[in-house]
């Protein structure tokens, strides 16, 4: 049998091991936050934002950010139907309603025209998820948000390395959220980050992230509000610091792999992969191929052909509205149409091709 080709895998070097070992040996007592602070500072510099809070997951970062925006029962948050459940779950946890809109056929991200159409007096936020590293139409979304007085939130879990008109994904909206899950371009095993340029929002989320204790509170064990416990550990942050020092290398390798797939597959008629429109950079987290219907190629058939050759691959996200806990949205035709004729392709740092 050929050696396994995974679909993603972290790139861990001596540097990650060195920092994690140091954190495990020495990162306690008055040094128990050293790597966390260092990771937050380095990430702020990388992204070009003013504030960052390391979290245990992207889901947690989204949950706290949305809570701080006051999203709750009766409110609506608009997002693309094509998404992983993690983007929608915090909305549901807060008692609000996710409103699923259709995607654009080329970026597979939410369609701004559909977003504007879906706005009601209950709309509290628009959640822009940069799917597979592909960028949402941020200029249009920000304009819609400004026009209606609705904040744009960026779920940049899949978009580290992606740049929109000179600004990094996650730095353009009211706040951004990142994931450092083991499948992501930069990993801490599990982990996430909340980022914003809004000082008041940062203070609020910082308090929430600290079980509701404000920075100014001097009384011990005295929460000022009910908060959350979504913290990153110092050991995870140590791995994150090493990964962040290697971020250019990590992203450029992902881009190299996507470019290879695009070069080989887009030669064939009717095959398209992740786009990279002018004045943007695609961080290339997940190379994804979509096949014209006329080709009759299905993701399912490809997955079994790959499996027979010991190659892992993943299906394109199902529309969230097709899941049992949500109401169907028959009008989201693009989100319903693409998954059957698409596939996520393997991409990781030390992937080796076979002849
Ligand atoms: C991975 C991912 C998440 C969830 O991240 P966690 O760190 O596992 O909570 C959220 N949104 C998107 C778009 C993701 O890809």
């Amino acid at each position: 049998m050929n050696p396994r080709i995974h679909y993603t895998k972290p790139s861990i070097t001596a540097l990650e091991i060195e920092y994690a070992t140091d954190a495990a040996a020495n990162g306690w007592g008055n040094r128990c936050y050293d790597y966390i602070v260092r990771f937050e500072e380095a990430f702020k510099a990388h992204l070009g934002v003013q504030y960052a809070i390391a979290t245990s997951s992207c889901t947690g970062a989204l949950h706290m950010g949305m809570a701080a925006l006051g999203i709750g029962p009766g409110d609506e948050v608009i997002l693309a139907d094509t998404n992983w459940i993690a983007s929608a779950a915090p909305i549901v946890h807060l008692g609000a309603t996710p409103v699923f809109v259709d995607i654009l056929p080329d970026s597979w991200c939410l369609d701004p025209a559909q977003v504007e159409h879906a706005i009601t007096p209950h709309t509290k936020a628009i959640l822009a998820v940069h799917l597979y590293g592909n960028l949402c139409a941020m200029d249009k979304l920000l304009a819609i948000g400004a026009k209606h007085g609705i904040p744009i939130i960026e779920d940049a879990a899949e978009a580290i390395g992606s740049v929109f008109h000179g600004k990094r994904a996650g730095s353009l909206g009211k706040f951004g959220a990142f994931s450092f899950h083991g499948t992501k371009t930069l990993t801490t095993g599990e982990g996430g980050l909340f980022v914003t340029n809004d000082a008041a929002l940062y203070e609020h989320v910082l308090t929430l992230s600290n079980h509701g204790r404000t920075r100014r509170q001097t009384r011990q064990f005295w929460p000022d509000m009910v908060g959350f416990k979504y913290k990153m550990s110092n050991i995870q942050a140590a791995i994150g610091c090493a990964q962040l020092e290697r971020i250019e290398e990590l992203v450029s390798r992902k881009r190299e792999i996507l470019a290879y797939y695009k070069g080989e597959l887009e030669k064939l008629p009717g095959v398209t992969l992740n786009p990279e429109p002018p004045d943007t950079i695609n961080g290339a987290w997940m190379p994804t191929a979509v096949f014209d219907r006329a080709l009759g190629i299905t993701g399912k058939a490809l997955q079994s052909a790959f499996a027979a050759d010991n190659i892992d691959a993943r299906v394109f996200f199902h529309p969230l509205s097709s899941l049992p806990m949500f109401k169907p949205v028959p009008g989201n035709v693009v989100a319903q149409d693409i998954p059957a004729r698409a596939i996520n392709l393997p991409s990781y740092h030390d992937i080796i091709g076979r002849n």
Side-chain angles (χ1 to χ4, degrees):
M1 187 112 184
N2 281 321
R4 180 95 171 142
I5 293 182
H6 306 272
Y7 89 111
T8 67
K9 210 174 79 175
S11 166
I12 301 299
T13 65
L15 192 66
E16 284 80 1
I17 295 167
E18 180 193 324
Y19 287 3
T21 304
D22 177 53
N26 307 309
W28 309 106
N30 61 6
R31 295 190 51 194
C32 73
Y33 300 119
D34 285 7
Y35 279 108
I36 298 171
V37 172
R38 184 167 148 188
F39 183 58
E40 290 170 344
E41 290 303 316
F43 207 94
K44 281 177 354 191
H46 168 75
L47 211 68
V49 290
Q50 282 178 276
Y51 308 103
I53 301 170
T55 59
S56 53
S57 68
C58 177
T59 311
L62 287 171
H63 197 176
M64 291 193 293
M66 289 183 190
L69 289 182
I71 294 169
D75 295 332
E76 295 170 355
V77 177
I78 298 170
L79 72 163
D81 206 349
T82 300
N83 262 312
W84 174 229
I85 187 78
S87 305
I91 302 167
V92 177
H93 289 318
L94 289 166
T97 304
V99 175
F100 302 118
V101 299
D102 209 359
I103 54 170
L104 293 169
D106 51 355
S107 70
W108 320 318
C109 292
L110 77 186
D111 178 345
Q114 298 288 327
V115 168
E116 187 151 32
H117 190 70
I119 291 173
T120 75
H122 304 290
T123 307
K124 213 51 190 285
I126 295 161
L127 179 58
V129 184
H130 304 296
L131 202 81
Y132 302 142
N134 304 354
L135 287 150
C136 297
M138 287 305 290
D139 45 357
K140 291 190 183 140
L141 293 176
L142 290 167
I144 292 168
K147 179 173 152 195
H148 295 271
I150 297 168
I152 310 295
I153 302 166
E154 285 181 279
D155 180 341
E158 304 179 359
I160 197 164
S162 296
V163 181
F164 185 86
H165 301 183
K167 287 189 172 170
R168 290 193 178 277
S171 72
L172 293 111
K174 185 76 171 172
F175 75 82
F178 287 85
S179 173
F180 310 121
H181 180 257
T183 56
K184 301 289 157 71
T185 299
L186 185 158
T187 192
T188 59
E190 293 279 2
L193 201 91
F194 168 91
V195 294
T196 187
N197 286 313
D198 183 315
L201 185 64
Y202 167 69
E203 283 298 330
H204 194 163
V205 173
L206 191 65
T207 300
L208 288 176
S209 78
N210 203 16
H211 260 321
R213 290 171 292 183
T214 66
R215 275 204 279 192
R216 284 165 302 281
Q217 184 54 256
T218 49
R219 291 169 79 175
Q220 288 189 325
F221 298 129
W222 191 264
D224 303 275
M225 61 184 80
V226 175
F228 295 92
K229 187 66 197 297
Y230 289 140
K231 284 178 184 266
M232 179 181 280
S233 76
N234 199 50
I235 297 175
Q236 289 170 303
I239 296 173
C241 286
Q243 292 263 289
L244 203 47
E245 283 182 34
R246 299 177 52 227
I247 189 65
E248 297 305 331
E249 175 203 341
L250 294 175
V251 171
S252 67
R253 179 65 179 137
K254 295 290 273 189
R255 286 178 50 73
E256 192 174 73
I257 294 164
L258 175 61
Y260 174 80
Y261 280 127
K262 275 174 85 84
E264 294 298 312
L265 293 173
E266 287 185 344
K267 278 195 264 192
L268 312 170
V271 187
T272 44
L273 282 86
N274 313 54
E276 192 171 59
D279 204 11
T280 68
I281 297 171
N282 192 316
W285 174 60
M286 182 65 75
T288 298
V290 177
F291 305 93
D292 275 4
R293 179 181 314 280
L295 295 172
I297 298 174
T298 66
K300 212 171 168 184
L302 280 176
Q303 259 194 326
S304 37
F306 284 13
D309 206 9
N310 207 18
I311 299 168
D312 199 3
R314 287 291 186 274
V315 297
F316 194 93
F317 289 128
H318 313 284
L320 291 174
S321 68
S322 69
L323 300 175
M325 53 285 200
F326 298 118
K327 285 201 200 84
V329 186
N332 290 347
V333 289
V334 184
Q336 285 155 24
D337 172 51
I338 293 181
R341 51 188 182 87
I343 194 155
N344 296 158
L345 297 165
S347 171
Y348 52 92
H349 206 256
D350 56 358
I351 191 171
I352 301 168
R354 294 191 200 139
N355 292 315

